[in-house]
PDB file of all heavy atoms in Angstrom:
ATOM      1  N   GLY V   1      23.501  89.670 175.648  1.00  0.00           N
ATOM      2  CA  GLY V   1      24.791  88.995 175.523  1.00  0.00           C
ATOM      3  C   GLY V   1      24.589  87.574 175.042  1.00  0.00           C
ATOM      4  O   GLY V   1      23.485  87.038 175.081  1.00  0.00           O
ATOM      5  N   SER V   2      25.671  86.985 174.584  1.00  0.00           N
ATOM      6  CA  SER V   2      25.612  85.588 174.159  1.00  0.00           C
ATOM      7  C   SER V   2      27.011  85.007 174.175  1.00  0.00           C
ATOM      8  O   SER V   2      28.003  85.743 174.144  1.00  0.00           O
ATOM      9  CB  SER V   2      25.014  85.463 172.752  1.00  0.00           C
ATOM     10  OG  SER V   2      25.861  86.062 171.788  1.00  0.00           O
ATOM     11  N   SER V   3      27.077  83.695 174.237  1.00  0.00           N
ATOM     12  CA  SER V   3      28.362  83.004 174.202  1.00  0.00           C
ATOM     13  C   SER V   3      28.142  81.644 173.549  1.00  0.00           C
ATOM     14  O   SER V   3      27.016  81.140 173.511  1.00  0.00           O
ATOM     15  CB  SER V   3      28.944  82.838 175.610  1.00  0.00           C
ATOM     16  OG  SER V   3      28.056  82.083 176.427  1.00  0.00           O
ATOM     17  N   ASP V   4      29.207  81.078 173.026  1.00  0.00           N
ATOM     18  CA  ASP V   4      29.095  79.757 172.407  1.00  0.00           C
ATOM     19  C   ASP V   4      30.334  78.937 172.740  1.00  0.00           C
ATOM     20  O   ASP V   4      31.367  79.482 173.142  1.00  0.00           O
ATOM     21  CB  ASP V   4      28.922  79.879 170.891  1.00  0.00           C
ATOM     22  CG  ASP V   4      30.138  80.496 170.218  1.00  0.00           C
ATOM     23  OD1 ASP V   4      31.070  79.754 169.866  1.00  0.00           O
ATOM     24  OD2 ASP V   4      30.161  81.726 170.043  1.00  0.00           O
ATOM     25  N   ASP V   5      30.222  77.627 172.553  1.00  0.00           N
ATOM     26  CA  ASP V   5      31.347  76.748 172.876  1.00  0.00           C
ATOM     27  C   ASP V   5      32.218  76.452 171.655  1.00  0.00           C
ATOM     28  O   ASP V   5      33.135  75.632 171.730  1.00  0.00           O
ATOM     29  CB  ASP V   5      30.836  75.439 173.491  1.00  0.00           C
ATOM     30  CG  ASP V   5      29.960  74.640 172.528  1.00  0.00           C
ATOM     31  OD1 ASP V   5      29.721  75.117 171.392  1.00  0.00           O
ATOM     32  OD2 ASP V   5      29.499  73.550 172.915  1.00  0.00           O
ATOM     33  N   GLY V   6      31.931  77.105 170.533  1.00  0.00           N
ATOM     34  CA  GLY V   6      32.716  76.885 169.333  1.00  0.00           C
ATOM     35  C   GLY V   6      32.399  75.584 168.616  1.00  0.00           C
ATOM     36  O   GLY V   6      33.036  75.262 167.604  1.00  0.00           O
ATOM     37  N   LYS V   7      31.420  74.850 169.122  1.00  0.00           N
ATOM     38  CA  LYS V   7      31.082  73.552 168.523  1.00  0.00           C
ATOM     39  C   LYS V   7      29.615  73.475 168.118  1.00  0.00           C
ATOM     40  O   LYS V   7      29.290  73.293 166.963  1.00  0.00           O
ATOM     41  CB  LYS V   7      31.410  72.433 169.507  1.00  0.00           C
ATOM     42  CG  LYS V   7      32.893  72.334 169.861  1.00  0.00           C
ATOM     43  CD  LYS V   7      33.135  71.248 170.891  1.00  0.00           C
ATOM     44  CE  LYS V   7      34.609  71.167 171.270  1.00  0.00           C
ATOM     45  NZ  LYS V   7      34.862  70.125 172.316  1.00  0.00           N
ATOM     46  N   SER V   8      28.731  73.618 169.105  1.00  0.00           N
ATOM     47  CA  SER V   8      27.305  73.463 168.781  1.00  0.00           C
ATOM     48  C   SER V   8      26.364  74.275 169.670  1.00  0.00           C
ATOM     49  O   SER V   8      25.218  74.501 169.283  1.00  0.00           O
ATOM     50  CB  SER V   8      26.911  71.980 168.875  1.00  0.00           C
ATOM     51  OG  SER V   8      27.095  71.508 170.210  1.00  0.00           O
ATOM     52  N   LYS V   9      26.809  74.709 170.836  1.00  0.00           N
ATOM     53  CA  LYS V   9      25.895  75.348 171.790  1.00  0.00           C
ATOM     54  C   LYS V   9      26.037  76.868 171.827  1.00  0.00           C
ATOM     55  O   LYS V   9      27.140  77.403 171.780  1.00  0.00           O
ATOM     56  CB  LYS V   9      26.137  74.783 173.188  1.00  0.00           C
ATOM     57  CG  LYS V   9      25.799  73.303 173.320  1.00  0.00           C
ATOM     58  CD  LYS V   9      26.057  72.811 174.734  1.00  0.00           C
ATOM     59  CE  LYS V   9      25.720  71.318 174.863  1.00  0.00           C
ATOM     60  NZ  LYS V   9      25.982  70.814 176.234  1.00  0.00           N
ATOM     61  N   ILE V  10      24.880  77.531 171.903  1.00  0.00           N
ATOM     62  CA  ILE V  10      24.837  78.980 172.077  1.00  0.00           C
ATOM     63  C   ILE V  10      24.003  79.283 173.316  1.00  0.00           C
ATOM     64  O   ILE V  10      22.903  78.753 173.479  1.00  0.00           O
ATOM     65  CB  ILE V  10      24.183  79.696 170.883  1.00  0.00           C
ATOM     66  CG1 ILE V  10      24.873  79.338 169.572  1.00  0.00           C
ATOM     67  CG2 ILE V  10      24.219  81.216 171.087  1.00  0.00           C
ATOM     68  CD1 ILE V  10      24.223  79.968 168.352  1.00  0.00           C
ATOM     69  N   LYS V  11      24.540  80.134 174.190  1.00  0.00           N
ATOM     70  CA  LYS V  11      23.792  80.586 175.358  1.00  0.00           C
ATOM     71  C   LYS V  11      23.421  82.052 175.125  1.00  0.00           C
ATOM     72  O   LYS V  11      24.280  82.912 174.946  1.00  0.00           O
ATOM     73  CB  LYS V  11      24.607  80.452 176.638  1.00  0.00           C
ATOM     74  CG  LYS V  11      23.869  80.959 177.883  1.00  0.00           C
ATOM     75  CD  LYS V  11      24.702  80.827 179.146  1.00  0.00           C
ATOM     76  CE  LYS V  11      24.803  79.373 179.588  1.00  0.00           C
ATOM     77  NZ  LYS V  11      25.486  79.259 180.908  1.00  0.00           N
ATOM     78  N   PHE V  12      22.120  82.315 175.114  1.00  0.00           N
ATOM     79  CA  PHE V  12      21.610  83.662 174.942  1.00  0.00           C
ATOM     80  C   PHE V  12      21.251  84.254 176.304  1.00  0.00           C
ATOM     81  O   PHE V  12      20.720  83.568 177.167  1.00  0.00           O
ATOM     82  CB  PHE V  12      20.352  83.660 174.066  1.00  0.00           C
ATOM     83  CG  PHE V  12      20.557  83.136 172.678  1.00  0.00           C
ATOM     84  CD1 PHE V  12      20.249  81.814 172.368  1.00  0.00           C
ATOM     85  CD2 PHE V  12      21.050  83.956 171.675  1.00  0.00           C
ATOM     86  CE1 PHE V  12      20.422  81.324 171.083  1.00  0.00           C
ATOM     87  CE2 PHE V  12      21.225  83.477 170.389  1.00  0.00           C
ATOM     88  CZ  PHE V  12      20.926  82.156 170.088  1.00  0.00           C
ATOM     89  N   LEU V  13      21.533  85.533 176.478  1.00  0.00           N
ATOM     90  CA  LEU V  13      21.156  86.250 177.693  1.00  0.00           C
ATOM     91  C   LEU V  13      20.170  87.338 177.313  1.00  0.00           C
ATOM     92  O   LEU V  13      20.530  88.349 176.697  1.00  0.00           O
ATOM     93  CB  LEU V  13      22.395  86.853 178.368  1.00  0.00           C
ATOM     94  CG  LEU V  13      23.480  85.863 178.810  1.00  0.00           C
ATOM     95  CD1 LEU V  13      24.673  86.609 179.398  1.00  0.00           C
ATOM     96  CD2 LEU V  13      22.925  84.854 179.816  1.00  0.00           C
ATOM     97  N   PHE V  14      18.901  87.119 177.648  1.00  0.00           N
ATOM     98  CA  PHE V  14      17.845  88.063 177.322  1.00  0.00           C
ATOM     99  C   PHE V  14      17.373  88.776 178.586  1.00  0.00           C
ATOM    100  O   PHE V  14      17.355  88.188 179.672  1.00  0.00           O
ATOM    101  CB  PHE V  14      16.646  87.349 176.695  1.00  0.00           C
ATOM    102  CG  PHE V  14      16.939  86.712 175.363  1.00  0.00           C
ATOM    103  CD1 PHE V  14      17.082  85.331 175.262  1.00  0.00           C
ATOM    104  CD2 PHE V  14      17.060  87.487 174.217  1.00  0.00           C
ATOM    105  CE1 PHE V  14      17.329  84.729 174.031  1.00  0.00           C
ATOM    106  CE2 PHE V  14      17.306  86.896 172.987  1.00  0.00           C
ATOM    107  CZ  PHE V  14      17.449  85.518 172.894  1.00  0.00           C
ATOM    108  N   GLN V  15      16.952  90.022 178.424  1.00  0.00           N
ATOM    109  CA  GLN V  15      16.411  90.764 179.566  1.00  0.00           C
ATOM    110  C   GLN V  15      14.884  90.730 179.530  1.00  0.00           C
ATOM    111  O   GLN V  15      14.274  91.125 178.529  1.00  0.00           O
ATOM    112  CB  GLN V  15      16.886  92.213 179.557  1.00  0.00           C
ATOM    113  CG  GLN V  15      16.434  92.997 180.790  1.00  0.00           C
ATOM    114  CD  GLN V  15      16.991  94.400 180.813  1.00  0.00           C
ATOM    115  OE1 GLN V  15      16.951  95.107 179.812  1.00  0.00           O
ATOM    116  NE2 GLN V  15      17.535  94.814 181.954  1.00  0.00           N
ATOM    117  N   ASN V  16      14.308  90.249 180.607  1.00  0.00           N
ATOM    118  CA  ASN V  16      12.854  90.231 180.725  1.00  0.00           C
ATOM    119  C   ASN V  16      12.351  91.677 180.834  1.00  0.00           C
ATOM    120  O   ASN V  16      12.793  92.423 181.698  1.00  0.00           O
ATOM    121  CB  ASN V  16      12.429  89.439 181.968  1.00  0.00           C
ATOM    122  CG  ASN V  16      10.932  89.258 182.060  1.00  0.00           C
ATOM    123  OD1 ASN V  16      10.173  90.211 182.136  1.00  0.00           O
ATOM    124  ND2 ASN V  16      10.500  87.998 182.066  1.00  0.00           N
ATOM    125  N   PRO V  17      11.425  92.092 179.949  1.00  0.00           N
ATOM    126  CA  PRO V  17      10.973  93.491 179.947  1.00  0.00           C
ATOM    127  C   PRO V  17      10.198  93.879 181.201  1.00  0.00           C
ATOM    128  O   PRO V  17      10.140  95.059 181.546  1.00  0.00           O
ATOM    129  CB  PRO V  17      10.070  93.562 178.706  1.00  0.00           C
ATOM    130  CG  PRO V  17       9.587  92.152 178.509  1.00  0.00           C
ATOM    131  CD  PRO V  17      10.740  91.284 178.926  1.00  0.00           C
ATOM    132  N   ASP V  18       9.616  92.911 181.887  1.00  0.00           N
ATOM    133  CA  ASP V  18       8.820  93.211 183.078  1.00  0.00           C
ATOM    134  C   ASP V  18       9.664  93.223 184.349  1.00  0.00           C
ATOM    135  O   ASP V  18       9.619  94.176 185.136  1.00  0.00           O
ATOM    136  CB  ASP V  18       7.686  92.195 183.218  1.00  0.00           C
ATOM    137  CG  ASP V  18       6.731  92.238 182.028  1.00  0.00           C
ATOM    138  OD1 ASP V  18       6.452  93.341 181.545  1.00  0.00           O
ATOM    139  OD2 ASP V  18       6.308  91.162 181.572  1.00  0.00           O
ATOM    140  N   THR V  19      10.432  92.142 184.535  1.00  0.00           N
ATOM    141  CA  THR V  19      11.223  92.025 185.762  1.00  0.00           C
ATOM    142  C   THR V  19      12.606  92.655 185.644  1.00  0.00           C
ATOM    143  O   THR V  19      13.284  92.864 186.661  1.00  0.00           O
ATOM    144  CB  THR V  19      11.397  90.547 186.135  1.00  0.00           C
ATOM    145  OG1 THR V  19      12.190  89.903 185.119  1.00  0.00           O
ATOM    146  CG2 THR V  19      10.047  89.845 186.236  1.00  0.00           C
ATOM    147  N   LYS V  20      13.042  92.906 184.395  1.00  0.00           N
ATOM    148  CA  LYS V  20      14.380  93.449 184.109  1.00  0.00           C
ATOM    149  C   LYS V  20      15.490  92.452 184.454  1.00  0.00           C
ATOM    150  O   LYS V  20      16.671  92.791 184.438  1.00  0.00           O
ATOM    151  CB  LYS V  20      14.630  94.767 184.866  1.00  0.00           C
ATOM    152  CG  LYS V  20      13.597  95.839 184.601  1.00  0.00           C
ATOM    153  CD  LYS V  20      13.489  96.187 183.129  1.00  0.00           C
ATOM    154  CE  LYS V  20      12.437  97.261 182.876  1.00  0.00           C
ATOM    155  NZ  LYS V  20      12.271  97.568 181.435  1.00  0.00           N
ATOM    156  N   GLN V  21      15.085  91.227 184.782  1.00  0.00           N
ATOM    157  CA  GLN V  21      16.059  90.192 185.101  1.00  0.00           C
ATOM    158  C   GLN V  21      16.608  89.571 183.815  1.00  0.00           C
ATOM    159  O   GLN V  21      15.931  89.529 182.780  1.00  0.00           O
ATOM    160  CB  GLN V  21      15.417  89.100 185.956  1.00  0.00           C
ATOM    161  CG  GLN V  21      14.936  89.586 187.315  1.00  0.00           C
ATOM    162  CD  GLN V  21      16.074  90.081 188.192  1.00  0.00           C
ATOM    163  OE1 GLN V  21      17.095  89.411 188.343  1.00  0.00           O
ATOM    164  NE2 GLN V  21      15.907  91.269 188.757  1.00  0.00           N
ATOM    165  N   ILE V  22      17.839  89.073 183.898  1.00  0.00           N
ATOM    166  CA  ILE V  22      18.463  88.419 182.751  1.00  0.00           C
ATOM    167  C   ILE V  22      18.064  86.942 182.751  1.00  0.00           C
ATOM    168  O   ILE V  22      18.211  86.250 183.761  1.00  0.00           O
ATOM    169  CB  ILE V  22      19.999  88.541 182.796  1.00  0.00           C
ATOM    170  CG1 ILE V  22      20.412  90.017 182.716  1.00  0.00           C
ATOM    171  CG2 ILE V  22      20.625  87.753 181.649  1.00  0.00           C
ATOM    172  CD1 ILE V  22      19.997  90.718 181.443  1.00  0.00           C
ATOM    173  N   GLU V  23      17.563  86.472 181.614  1.00  0.00           N
ATOM    174  CA  GLU V  23      17.146  85.081 181.478  1.00  0.00           C
ATOM    175  C   GLU V  23      18.044  84.389 180.458  1.00  0.00           C
ATOM    176  O   GLU V  23      18.193  84.851 179.329  1.00  0.00           O
ATOM    177  CB  GLU V  23      15.681  85.013 181.025  1.00  0.00           C
ATOM    178  CG  GLU V  23      14.745  85.685 182.031  1.00  0.00           C
ATOM    179  CD  GLU V  23      13.305  85.771 181.541  1.00  0.00           C
ATOM    180  OE1 GLU V  23      13.066  85.504 180.340  1.00  0.00           O
ATOM    181  OE2 GLU V  23      12.434  86.104 182.365  1.00  0.00           O
ATOM    182  N   ALA V  24      18.664  83.288 180.887  1.00  0.00           N
ATOM    183  CA  ALA V  24      19.587  82.546 180.023  1.00  0.00           C
ATOM    184  C   ALA V  24      18.846  81.434 179.282  1.00  0.00           C
ATOM    185  O   ALA V  24      18.060  80.694 179.879  1.00  0.00           O
ATOM    186  CB  ALA V  24      20.726  81.966 180.847  1.00  0.00           C
TER     187      ALA V  24
END
């Protein structure tokens, strides 16, 4: 997943392949 503020910032949500946790 990802989101942005419409101006300059993008937040990426990646899944760690080992822990399966989501890392922002």
Side-chain angles (χ1 to χ4, degrees):
S2 66
S3 60
D4 64 87
D5 63 358
K7 297 177 181 178
S8 62
K9 295 180 180 179
I10 305 177
K11 178 180 287 186
F12 299 97
L13 300 177
F14 295 105
Q15 184 176 47
N16 186 299
D18 299 321
T19 66
K20 304 302 180 183
Q21 297 297 311
I22 297 298
E23 300 174 349

